[in-house]
Each structure stands twice: as C-alpha cells, then as structure tokens.
Amino acid sequence: MNQNVLIAGGGIAGMAAGFAAARAGWRAHVFERAAEFSEVGAGVQLGPNVTRILQDWGLGDALKQAAAFPSGLHARSMVTGEVLATLPVKDAVTTYGAPYVTIHRADLHGLLLQAAEGEGASVFSDSVVQRVDASPDGVAIEVAQCGRVQQHTGAIAVAADGVWSSLRQQLLGDGLPSFTGHIAYRTLVAQADLPAHLRSQDVSVWMGARAHVVSYPVRGGDYLNVVCLTEGQLLETDAHNLQALQTWNAQKSDAQTLAELQHALRGACPTLTDLVAACHAWRLWPLCGRPAMRGAHEHAQGRMALVGDAAHPMLPYLAQGAGMAIEDAAELGVQLAHSKPADVPERLLQFAQVRWQRNARVQNRAVRNGQIFHATGPMQWGRDLGLRLLGSRVMDVPWLYGYQGNAASP
Ligand SMILES: Cc1cc2nc3c(=O)[nH]c(=O)nc-3n(C[C@H](O)[C@H](O)[C@H](O)COP(=O)(O)OP(=O)(O)OC[C@H]3O[C@@H](n4cnc5c(N)ncnc54)[C@H](O)[C@@H]3O)c2cc1C
C-alpha cells in the first residue's frame, strides 16, 4: 500500500491537514474544487491554543508578518458603548506561551498553503472529490479534475470539505446541516478611511439584544474586520439558497444590507451605528450547523477521518472554528508520525478519541456564548454585573487557551 493521504477540500482544515501529514512523512494530496485558491471572506481570531501550534510548525515568523496583535478584548454594551470588562489578550504570551492574534482568512490560508507545498504536499485546484471508497486495505477517491474523472488511491482519506461535506454524507449519512437562526454580516474597512474615533487595534464585542457586533484589526492592523451577528428569519429567497450563500462571498446591495443591519442594531450607541454606516460591501453568511459531536465515530472510521467544519461546524461565538481545524490537523500529524500504512485504522481511532470531546466542548461553549452575548432582561443584567465585578476572570478560558493536546512536534 502506498503512503498517500488524500484530502478533499483545500480550506483552512484541508491545508493544515496537508501540511501536518506531509510533515509527518506522508505523501499528502489536497484536492480543492475551486478553480483558484482565493480565500475571500474576512478575518479570524486565533487564540494561543492555535498560535502555539503554528509556532511549533515553524510558522511563527510568517504569522508575525501577516497578523495583528491586539492588546485587549473588550466586552461592551451595544446600547451605551461602555466597556464592561477587558481581557488583556496581549498577556497571552506570558500566560499561555503564545500570542492572541487576528488575521485575514486569506493571509492564514496563504501561509498554510505555502507551508504545505514547502513540506512537499501536492495541491490541486479545480478538483472536485466526487466519491470515496474505503476498505481495510486502502482508500480510493474519484476526482473530477479539469473535466476528467480520475481515480487516486491511498492509505487515508481525509474529509476537509466544509460544513456541507459530501464525504460526510457518504460516511455517516446523517443529513445536511441546518440553519441555526443566526446570520453573520461581514466586511472589511481600511482604518485610514475611518474617522479617528472609529479606528481600533483592539478586539471589541458589542453585546445587544439578540445581536452582537465584533470588530478587530487584520492585515497588520491596516484594516478593521467588522462582523454583525443577528438572530432572525432569512428572506425566502435566501432560505432557498443557503448553500450558494456559503461561498464566503455572498453579497447583497449595500442599501438592502444596511437596512437589515439598522433594524437589528436599533437602539445601538452612536459609535457603533457610525461604524456600521462607514462600512460597505457587507457579505451575508447564514450560519448553518449540527449538534455537537456525539462520539469518536463522527471523527474517523477505518481509514477515513473528518476534520474542520466537515466534522464539527460551530457558531463563531468562541472564535475557534478554524482553530479547531488546525488542532485537528496537529493531532493527525502526531498520530501519523512514525506510523505505517498498516497502522492507519488504529492511529485514526486514537486521533478521533483525542479530538471529539474537545471539539464537542468548544461547539457547546460557542452556543452558550451566543446566549450570553444576546441576552435580554434579567440575564443581561446579571451578565453585565458579572463582567463589571469580575472583569477578565469571566472572559478568560484557560481550558481552551492552555490546551496542549497530544500535539507535541512529531
Ligand atoms: C462569521 C464567522 C466568523 C468566524 N470567526 C472565526 C474566528 O474568529 N476564529 C476561528 O478560528 N474561526 C472562525 N470562524 C470559523 C472558520 O472560518 C471555519 O471554522 C473554518 O474556515 C472552517 O474551515 P474548513 O476548511 O473546515 O471549511 P471551509 O473553509 O468551508 O473549506 C472547505 C473547502 O472544501 C472545498 N470543497 C467542498 N467540497 C469539495 C469537494 N467535493 N471536493 C473538493 N473540494 C471541496 C470548498 O471549496 C472549501 O474550499 C468563523 C466563521 C464565521 C462564519
């Protein structure tokens, strides 16, 4: 049997898995259906649990070039603008041994792509994985590449094909993800185009009734990433179009989006309404998900593993979806290091057992954070009091940021 690791999907999860598998000495092949690797979208926050892995992988300097390094994460009232509490994320290096960064998705993706190719992974665009067959002896995938269907064989198949994963359907057959009732509107604005009082090099979470807004710097601090998250119904046309909207790129007219945002943020303080009004080219993202993982069988079976959103899509309220995809890849690398094709089922079982509860915990905590961020009435009152009295102690998440996993360097 050959040492091929066949990876469906070249997003953050697929690229990180390709890097980790190649670094562990395997022949990694990443197949991405998009014709070009142009990760549009917006920013992501990466906690020290994730940057620690990137540093271990030798990507610390590349991260420094692309990321922004905020000093604080401020929990604010959407109505008054008051800072209720601040988590001094600049202290992450001292507390957790790695920084808390904010970065454009395209920059993170580019960094992983370059690293994966540098380790010898083969990366193919315009390649749709149509089918996977796994047996105790090996895996075979069918890939439509540049108009021709080709078969590839290997020792492992990895589904990194995102929240709408078709490989997950082949393995688990547990249906499509569903709309969570939450909608994200995302945009980027050049800090130079904002009036001075709206520019920021920190992370702010503005919490309101059934909505919140997150803003933070990306591209070395030159741009501000702004995300508005609301609860509500989708327009009928959008509800019938869920999958097409999930391209990191779905866009509506500015006037229509601004009207939807103004409605969701009614009663917000002038700073926030000014910020939203100063932004353009919003991209709409209906958040779709699944229940938290229920067992190791959802992460791997036999010679096939699921990583990233294909395995555990999550609400972005803990800012860890890409982070968990990178943690998955690190664990995959640890399991594959020094192992042979014959050991794969055992190694993937280990991988699944190490990862599933952690991912389920993060998925559940993200849901809870949403309830806290969007609280109304007495719950909102209690939240604000707790933040004022206890400050960063209620914002820090040591079990999340301090995680070392099994992810020592192979
Ligand atoms: C509003 C919002 C804010 C977020 N903020 C954060 C944050 O701050 N921090 C964080 O860590 N995470 C954040 N996330 C989550 C994070 O973006 C995702 O968890 C992460 O991008 C998932 O990566 P993935 O590679 O698993 O999936 P995707 O990015 O969806 O990649 C899947 C890839 O597979 C390809 N593909 C699909 N089917 C096939 C096929 N059959 N054959 C070949 N290729 C295929 C797709 O084209 C795609 O490129 C946020 C998400 C949202 C929506």
Side-chain angles (χ1 to χ4, degrees):
M1 194 188 312
N2 64 39
Q3 279 223 315
N4 289 339
V5 179
L6 308 175
I7 300 168
I12 304 291
M15 223 42 93
F19 170 81
R23 184 165 181 262
W26 292 64
R27 284 205 295 274
H29 306 266
V30 182
F31 301 96
E32 166 56 45
R33 71 177 169 195
E36 281 173 42
F37 287 102
S38 58
E39 276 271 324
V40 281
V44 285
Q45 304 176 60
L46 299 178
N49 54 312
V50 188
T51 56
R52 184 181 305 115
I53 294 171
L54 297 175
Q55 285 177 348
D56 282 353
W57 285 352
L59 305 178
D61 286 342
L63 192 65
K64 264 192 205 134
Q65 302 293 319
F69 292 77
S71 305
L73 189 163
H74 309 295
R76 308 173 72 136
S77 157
M78 183 187 280
V79 175
T80 63
E82 175 196 353
V83 174
L84 300 162
T86 295
L87 180 67
V89 289
K90 65 173 186 324
D91 295 346
V93 177
T94 331
T95 316
Y96 296 112
Y100 192 106
V101 310
T102 52
I103 185 168
H104 193 283
R105 277 174 55 88
D107 295 339
L108 175 62
H109 185 263
L111 191 150
L112 291 169
L113 168 62
Q114 205 178 357
E117 290 188 321
E119 281 291 335
S122 312
V123 178
F124 305 93
S125 52
D126 205 358
S127 301
V128 183
V129 178
Q130 296 183 321
R131 188 182 158 74
V132 59
D133 285 302
S135 75
D137 303 325
V139 296
I141 62 170
E142 265 177 27
V143 186
Q145 272 171 306
C146 311
R148 284 180 35 219
V149 177
Q150 308 210 352
Q151 206 179 64
H152 300 261
T153 58
I156 308 174
V158 178
D161 49 345
V163 63
W164 297 97
S165 171
S166 60
L167 266 64
R168 181 186 177 108
Q169 288 320 304
Q170 289 180 43
L171 186 70
L172 299 176
D174 58 353
L176 293 173
S178 53
F179 176 51
T180 58
H182 293 232
I183 304 164
Y185 299 83
R186 319 176 81 178
T187 194
L188 286 183
V189 56
Q191 304 250 20
D193 292 344
L194 290 172
H197 75 288
L198 296 179
R199 293 178 200 162
S200 176
Q201 294 297 331
D202 276 348
V203 184
S204 281
V205 181
W206 315 69
M207 298 176 293
R210 285 179 283 278
H212 75 283
V213 176
V214 184
S215 62
Y216 52 82
V218 292
R219 296 253 139 110
D222 291 347
Y223 285 80
L224 195 65
N225 177 74
V226 185
V227 188
C228 173
L229 297 121
T230 68
E231 291 177 35
Q233 300 293 316
L234 288 169
L235 296 176
E236 208 173 318
T237 41
D238 293 338
H240 286 113
N241 211 11
L242 270 182
Q243 212 162 340
L245 281 170
Q246 304 228 325
T247 57
W248 289 113
N249 210 9
Q251 210 170 333
K252 292 187 179 184
S253 78
D254 268 356
Q256 188 185 356
T257 311
L258 202 55
E260 288 174 21
L261 285 175
Q262 279 165 348
H263 179 72
L265 305 183
R266 59 198 178 282
C269 63
T271 310
L272 191 53
T273 44
D274 287 355
L275 178 61
V276 168
C279 295
H280 305 282
W282 292 92
R283 292 171 205 279
L284 170 81
W285 189 262
L287 300 172
C288 295
R290 298 180 176 281
M293 299 189 88
R294 283 154 293 204
H297 68 284
E298 288 188 48
H299 239 321
Q301 291 183 28
R303 293 184 170 273
M304 189 167 160
L306 284 82
V307 295
D309 280 5
H312 42 69
M314 59 185 73
L315 286 170
Y317 305 156
L318 195 56
Q320 285 284 339
M324 289 305 108
I326 290 170
E327 281 193 7
D328 288 347
E331 184 58 40
L332 194 64
V334 168
Q335 294 298 337
L336 293 185
H338 315 299
S339 62
K340 302 185 291 296
D343 305 336
V344 163
E346 175 57 29
R347 305 318 314 169
L348 292 190
L349 184 62
Q350 280 291 320
F351 157 80
Q353 281 170 347
V354 171
R355 291 302 304 155
W356 83 266
Q357 281 164 313
R358 163 102 172 149
N359 281 317
R361 188 174 186 187
V362 173
Q363 285 174 298
N364 284 327
R365 178 62 182 256
V367 171
R368 202 180 117 213
N369 270 11
Q371 291 157 353
I372 295 170
F373 291 174
H374 292 190
T376 55
M379 191 174 162
Q380 179 206 328
W381 185 86
R383 175 199 71 199
D384 292 356
L385 184 68
L387 283 166
R388 284 196 193 97
L389 290 179
L390 298 170
S392 62
R393 272 174 288 163
V394 284
M395 295 173 72
D396 200 5
V397 199
W399 64 262
L400 177 64
Y401 298 140
Y403 180 79
Q404 305 272 351
N406 246 346
S409 302

